[in-house]
């Protein structure tokens, strides 16, 4: 088991290495470099040379990559171009903000999705299912920028209950954030919950039709006990990976929602740094987002392995 | 003994069709189950036997509903009870042993928990008493080391062990009535015989009444006191087991018994024409009218009632049953088949063939070699003559299908050669074979539902090999397709049908036609009849034999069913753990002396005759891997003589009657041991 975990971590690290190479090469082959981008029209003569010297662009690419990579391993992403401040300081509050938005959405959305999924499955084709399914399909099909805009229009402008956009600095405190993120959370949850509820529903329906559920009924197991002991553990197992992907997607910054609500999270930082051609920040973001995906999927895989006795003993036997 | 436990009265169950018509699956079924009695319910798929059994627990499958009638258990109607009330009865008064225990045990819960759950629900025992009871139950169903068994998950047990756990679970609530829904279908022959033996013991030991539902008259014959025969949702015959099996007085039961291949009979079983009518398509008159050779005009217009015949203690639904009384001595006959010309040339030779499923290591992959000291299949030498039917038999894991795949080129061999026609070596890689060799070897699969493309019509299915191998098109293509359909006794109008519009037997006929479309020299048959009902199986076997006699095709026939093999094959090769045990002409292999494994297999076959009991000579242990050295059967052999069996591969010995046996015991001595 330990060997397996180490193996998976190793594979994850290899993935990250490849991602870092690709981003580095990608940035290298772009026309111009960080200095020409930064200096714009003044990119000539002494100013350019000074900049190149300062950023160390005169050494060969592979040396720069090794240098950059060894710094990243130590947790140092270098300096951003536009602010000329350490990237860690730029990223820090953004990561925190995205974390707050994601965790609130996860805490509300995922339990809601599971409950809705189970309800629709157990009352399949009856009134609760028809109502919830209609709503979920509806909110699934509307793109988030439309639903977000509609939310602003109705709740913020017509009703005036909540602020339409988030006007707080990126280093706002946790409580300041909380009061501001209600609308973004609703917008995100709508899509996320709908997708997951549909998945949970079909998974539960499938398990309910299985031989072992029929057996449990014929054994005289009371209905709710059967649902909790025989159905749900088996039905929710395949949901773990989907939940993991959703969490990774949320942590990676929900770009569209963040832009619509002007929320200072990672997603908006991605847009900003790309449009500013702040290449060191883009590089750093790529690595961070990749690590989030790799890490969360690793955790999900291990969880599936732990919870599924079938896979567990299979791995141990090997 | 005569106290009635459950009685079904005029029960009809049905569903609403898409056109809003009410269609019944069960029609007017009445029967009584007495205390301590085992009742076998037998019928082919779609006869309503499982629906009836489940209704006897008050369970109706989704989409179905009771139309009329009642199921009275202890003076209460189960079909009118609330689910709360039913929970009190299910598992406690009536318990179920499911068909496929592997799927009926919840995968995430340990064996012990699942039995404990039943104990908690249906007894008042405390925790320590329950723990003791769990090991008692596991011990009772004869599972090894019952103490540790409770901590294992269902998937960690073999099929036979899972079925035993299901039995233990059903016994937990000390039920008055046990319902068994095909409890041994899907198990290996030896395991099946052991489980049946256990069930018989439990019935005697606990005095529990049992309802045994199965399509397999062989299994029913072993356990039942009374037999109920179902056809198209109705009871057509009901009576004491011995009477039903020895002197069936309903033409359907008579035909069914005749269509079962038997070990004691060489030659093919007689087949019944046609197939069971679909629910909803039954019109007025007797539902068996179309297939009956006793039918008169009266049968077409009026449907017979279930008539009680006092002197035979039997209920029968037939106007003309009298014609069958005292006519049953010809039950033990079969169609003799033309034996093939044994002088013929060899068409396919397997020489020292070994096949491995081991994952290739990285370097071996580069060098394209397989290094596995203990491959799944090893040392297979078989020469197959033109026009003969050679059968490969063995339990699951014996490597019989593996060998078939290698001949077809779907699986690479590790060592050895497959030679085709005049000692030309066939590449073990499909891509390296020339088109003519590909045409010459065709496969027919077990399950026609999966081997026929559901989106193609029969015409498209059959035209593919014709286009591919013979470049036919237009009128000629159509003429050939019609010819092929005629060969497998299907009319021209089948061309426009899709597989889902055909019955199981018709689908397998199309699959047979597709194989013959290529005008092959060799046809590989992989369990071609095991997904079919008995009466349909007999028809497909007869068809295959007829085609072979007409066209001189060679068959390599893989099956786990020794009686089917007996009926169709000229020669039999018995495999255990991927090693040959015995090979010889089939009439000789079924005669002693034989290899100890063949003896075990033959002993476990269930015959539809209450007087022939299976002989259980070996334990039904499941071995996961063949032994590294010595005899492949050392782990289970009842005649093991000592260390030599563990250390040395036994030599081939040839018996007087021409069958070759691989065993350390002298063949003459084996003969006297088996007398």
């Amino acid at each position: 088991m330990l060997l397996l975990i180490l193996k998976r971590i190793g594979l994850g690290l290899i993935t990250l290495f490849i991602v870092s190479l690709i981003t580095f090469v990608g940035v290298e082959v772009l026309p111009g470099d960080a200095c020409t981008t930064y200096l714009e029209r003044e990119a000539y003569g002494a100013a350019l040379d000074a900049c190149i010297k300062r950023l160390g662009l005169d050494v060969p690419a592979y040396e720069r990559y090794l240098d950059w990579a060894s710094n990243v391993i130590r947790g140092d992403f270098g300096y951003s171009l536009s602010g000329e401040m350490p990237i860690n300081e730029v990223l820090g509050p953004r990561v925190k903000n995205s974390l707050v938005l994601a965790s609130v959405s996860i805490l509300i959305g995922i339990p809601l999705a599971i409950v809705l999924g189970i309800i629709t499955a157990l009352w399949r084709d009856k009134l609760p299912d028809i109502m919830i399914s209609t709503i979920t399909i509806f909110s699934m099909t509307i793109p988030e920028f439309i639903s977000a805009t509609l939310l602003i229009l109705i709740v913020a402008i017509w009703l005036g209950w909540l602020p339409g956009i988030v006007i707080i600095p990126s280093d706002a405190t946790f409580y300041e954030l909380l009061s501001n993120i209600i609308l973004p959370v609703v917008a995100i949850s709508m899509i996320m919950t709908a997708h997951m509820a549909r998945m949970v529903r079909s998974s539960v329906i499938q398990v309910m039709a299985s031989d072992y559920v029929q057996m449990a009924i014929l054994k005289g197991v009371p209905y709710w006990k059967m649902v909790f002991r025989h159905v749900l553990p088996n039905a929710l197992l395949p949901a773990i990976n989907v939940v993991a992907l959703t969490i990774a997607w949320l942590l990676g910054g929900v770009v569209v929602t963040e832009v619509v609500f002007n929320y200072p999270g990672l997603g908006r930082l991605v847009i900003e740094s790309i449009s500013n051609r702040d290449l060191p920040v883009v590089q750093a973001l790529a690595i961070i987002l990749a690590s989030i995906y790799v890490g969360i999927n690793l955790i999900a895989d291990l969880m599936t392995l732990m919870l599924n006795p079938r896979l567990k003993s299979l791995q141990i036997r090997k | 003994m005569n106290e009635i436990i459950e009685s079904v009265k005029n029960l009809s169950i049905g569903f609403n069709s898409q056109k809003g018509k009410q269609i019944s699956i069960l029609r007017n079924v009445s029967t009584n189950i007495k205390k301590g009695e085992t009742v076998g319910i037998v019928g082919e798929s779609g006869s309503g036997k499982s629906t009836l059994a489940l209704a006897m627990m008050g369970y109706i499958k989704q989409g179905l509903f009771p139309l009329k009638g009642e199921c009275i258990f202890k003076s209460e109607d189960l079909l009118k009870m609330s689910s709360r009330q039913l929970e009190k009865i299910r598992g406690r008064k009536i318990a179920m042993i499911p068909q496929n225990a592997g799927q009926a045990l919840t995968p995430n819960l340990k064996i012990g928990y699942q039995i404990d759950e039943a104990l908690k629900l249906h007894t008042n025992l405390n925790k320590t008493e329950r723990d003791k009871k769990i090991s008692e139950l596991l011990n009772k169903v004869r599972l090894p080391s019952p103490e540790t068994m409770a901590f294992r998950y269902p998937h960690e047990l073999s099929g036979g062990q899972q079925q035993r756990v299901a039995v233990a679970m059903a016994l937990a609530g000390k039920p008055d009535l046990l319902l068994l829904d095909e409890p041994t279908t899907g198990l290996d022959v030896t395991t099946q015989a052991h489980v049946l033996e256990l069930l018989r013991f439990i019935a005697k030991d606990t005095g529990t009444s049992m309802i045994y539902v199965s399509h397999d008259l062989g299994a029913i014959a072993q356990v039942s006191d009374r037999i109920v025969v179902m056809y198209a949702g109705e009871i057509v015959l009901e009576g004491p087991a011995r009477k039903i099996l020895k002197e069936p007085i309903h033409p359907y039961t008579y035909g069914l018994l005749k269509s079962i291949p038997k070990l004691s009979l060489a030659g093919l079983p007689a087949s019944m024409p046609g197939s069971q009518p679909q629910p909803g398509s039954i019109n007025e008159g007797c539902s068996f009218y179309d297939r009956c050779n006793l039918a008169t005009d009266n049968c077409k217009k009026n449907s017979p009632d279930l008539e009680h015949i006092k002197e035979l203690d039997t209920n029968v639904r037939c106007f003309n049953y009298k014609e069958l009384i005292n006519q049953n001595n010809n039950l033990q006959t079969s169609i003799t088949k033309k034996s093939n010309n044994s002088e013929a040339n060899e068409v396919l030779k397997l020489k020292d063939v070994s096949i491995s499923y081991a994952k290739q290591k990285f370097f071996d992959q580069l060098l394209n070699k397989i290094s596995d000291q203990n491959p799944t299949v090893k040392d297979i030498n078989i020469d197959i003559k033109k026009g003969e039917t050679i059968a490969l038999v063995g339990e699951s894991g014996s490597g019989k299908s593996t060998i078939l795949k290698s001949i077809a080129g779907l699986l690479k061999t590790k060592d050895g050669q497959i030679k085709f026609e005049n000692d030309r070596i066939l590449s073990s890689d499909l891509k390296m074979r020339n088109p003519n060799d590909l045409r010459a070897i065709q496969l027919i699969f077990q399950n026609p539902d999966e081997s026929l493309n559901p989106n193609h019509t029969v015409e498209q299915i059959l035209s593919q090999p014709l286009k591919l191998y013979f470049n036919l098109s237009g009128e000629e293509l159509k003429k050939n397709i019609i010819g092929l359909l005629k060969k497998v006794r299907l009319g021209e109008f089948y061309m426009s049908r899709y597989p889902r519009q055909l019955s199981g037997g018709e689908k397998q006929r199309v699959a047979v036609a597709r194989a013959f479309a290529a005008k092959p020299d060799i046809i590989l048959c992989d369990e071609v009849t095991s997904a079919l009902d008995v009466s349909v199986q007999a028809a497909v076997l007869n068809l295959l034999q007829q085609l072979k006699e007409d066209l001189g095709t060679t068959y390599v026939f893989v099956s786990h069913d020794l009686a089917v093999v007996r009926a169709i094959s000229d020669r039999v090769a018995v495999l255990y753990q991927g090693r040959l045990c015995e090979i010889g002409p089939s009439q000789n292999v079924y005669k002693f002396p034989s290899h100890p494994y063949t003896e075990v297999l033959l002993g476990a076959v269930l015959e539809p005759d209450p007087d022939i009991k299976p002989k259980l000579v070996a334990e039904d242990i499941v071995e996961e891997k063949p032994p590294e050295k010595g005899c492949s059967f050392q782990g289970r052999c009842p005649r093991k003589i000592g260390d030599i069996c563990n250390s040395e591969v036994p030599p081939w010995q040839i018996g007087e009657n021409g069958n070759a046996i691989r065993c350390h015991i002298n063949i003459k001595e084996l003969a006297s041991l088996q007398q």
Side-chain angles (χ1 to χ4, degrees), chain B residues 71-139:
Chain B
C71 292
I72 310 284
F73 180 80
K74 304 218 161 143
S75 73
E76 272 185 283
D77 187 359
L78 293 174
L79 299 177
K80 292 205 176 68
M81 279 188 188
S82 69
S83 51
R84 227 2 103 66
Q85 284 170 301
L86 282 170
E87 280 161 19
K88 292 262 174 329
I89 287 181
R90 289 173 179 162
R92 188 177 307 184
K93 305 280 183 212
I94 312 177
M96 168 88 167
I97 297 173
Q99 168 166 12
N100 190 338
Q103 283 165 25
L105 296 170
T106 308
N108 68 318
L109 302 174
K110 287 178 181 148
I111 301 298
Y113 178 88
Q114 302 200 38
I115 297 174
D116 192 38
E117 192 177 35
L119 286 173
K120 250 194 266 178
L121 288 167
H122 305 305
T123 64
N124 297 320
L125 305 175
N126 64 33
K127 179 85 181 81
T128 42
E129 285 170 330
R130 287 204 310 269
D131 282 346
K132 220 178 108 211
K133 188 82 190 164
I134 291 170
S135 2
E136 254 176 60
L137 283 166
L138 290 171
N139 200 27

Side-chain angles (χ1 to χ4, degrees), chain B residues 581-637:
Chain B
C581 294
E582 175 165 1
I583 184 165
S586 49
Q587 71 262 30
N588 298 340
V589 170
Y590 287 78
K591 247 191 265 161
F592 294 123
S594 40
H595 189 279
Y597 179 56
T598 318
E599 193 191 356
V600 167
L601 275 183
L602 287 173
V605 172
L606 305 170
E607 296 263 48
D609 185 334
D611 296 328
I612 306 176
K613 296 273 176 237
K615 293 187 271 302
L616 305 173
V617 275
E619 290 297 312
D620 59 330
I621 321 160
V622 175
E623 297 185 88
E624 286 191 354
K625 263 166 86 181
E628 302 254 331
K629 52 184 183 175
C631 171
S632 62
F633 193 49
Q634 51 175 279
R636 286 173 65 191
C637 185

Side-chain angles (χ1 to χ4, degrees), chain A residues 73-90:
Chain A
I73 290 169
R74 269 182 264 120
D76 177 12
F77 285 103
Y79 285 85
S80 99
L81 284 180
S82 45
E84 288 204 356
M85 57 198 276
I87 291 178
N88 285 352
E89 273 173 42
V90 181

Side-chain angles (χ1 to χ4, degrees), chain A residues 30-262:
Chain A
L30 282 179
D33 53 32
C35 283
T36 49
T37 327
Y38 172 57
L39 294 172
E40 290 179 349
R41 260 182 287 176
E42 282 130 55
Y44 59 86
L48 184 63
D49 290 342
C51 176
I52 286 176
K53 198 128 209 144
R54 182 164 56 87
L55 292 179
L57 292 181
D58 46 353
V59 290
Y62 69 90
E63 263 179 45
R64 268 184 290 133
Y65 174 73
L66 287 179
D67 194 37
W68 175 73
S70 61
N71 280 331
V72 167
I73 290 169
R74 269 182 264 120
D76 177 12
F77 285 103
Y79 285 85
S80 99
L81 284 180
S82 45
E84 288 204 356
M85 57 198 276
I87 291 178
N88 285 352
E89 273 173 42
V90 181
L91 285 175
R94 298 295 190 123
V95 170
K96 188 199 78 190
N97 293 346
S98 272
L99 219 56
V100 170
L101 183 64
S103 27
V104 174
S105 308
I106 289 164
L107 284 178
I108 295 171
I110 290 177
L112 185 70
I114 290 175
V115 169
L116 288 181
I118 293 169
I119 290 174
T120 48
L122 296 183
W123 279 272
R124 185 184 177 186
D125 295 337
K126 305 238 170 67
L127 194 66
D129 177 30
I130 294 168
M131 275 168 51
I132 296 172
S133 287
T134 316
I135 296 170
T136 47
I137 291 173
F138 191 64
S139 63
M140 221 158 80
T141 35
I142 303 177
E144 53 196 309
F145 57 89
I146 293 182
S147 56
T149 318
L150 283 177
L151 273 176
I152 295 175
L153 180 70
I154 297 167
V155 180
I157 298 174
W158 289 353
L159 299 172
W161 289 348
L162 290 166
I165 50 165
V166 184
I167 349 174
I168 46 169
S170 56
D171 53 356
T173 63
F174 183 68
Y175 293 105
E176 281 176 310
L177 277 174
L178 268 189
S179 58
N180 273 290
I181 60 174
I182 295 172
L183 280 187
V185 165
V186 172
I188 292 168
S189 301
M190 266 172 75
I191 282 201
M192 181 183 80
T193 308
H195 271 288
M196 265 166 38
R198 296 300 296 172
M199 216 214 67
V200 171
R201 176 179 184 270
S202 63
S203 180
V204 171
I205 286 176
Q206 205 188 344
V207 173
M208 287 290 280
S210 71
D211 283 358
Y212 54 84
V213 168
Q214 185 186 328
M215 188 62 215
I217 296 172
L218 293 177
K219 210 162 112 183
V221 181
Y223 185 76
W224 285 107
K225 195 166 180 211
M226 177 212 52
V227 168
F228 282 107
R229 293 296 313 183
H230 294 264
V231 177
L232 293 187
N234 293 300
L236 295 182
L237 212 52
I240 292 179
N241 280 309
V242 177
V243 170
L245 274 181
T246 315
I247 293 176
W249 167 71
L250 281 175
L251 287 179
V254 258
V255 178
V256 177
T257 316
E258 286 186 8
V259 171
V260 173
F261 288 103
N262 193 36

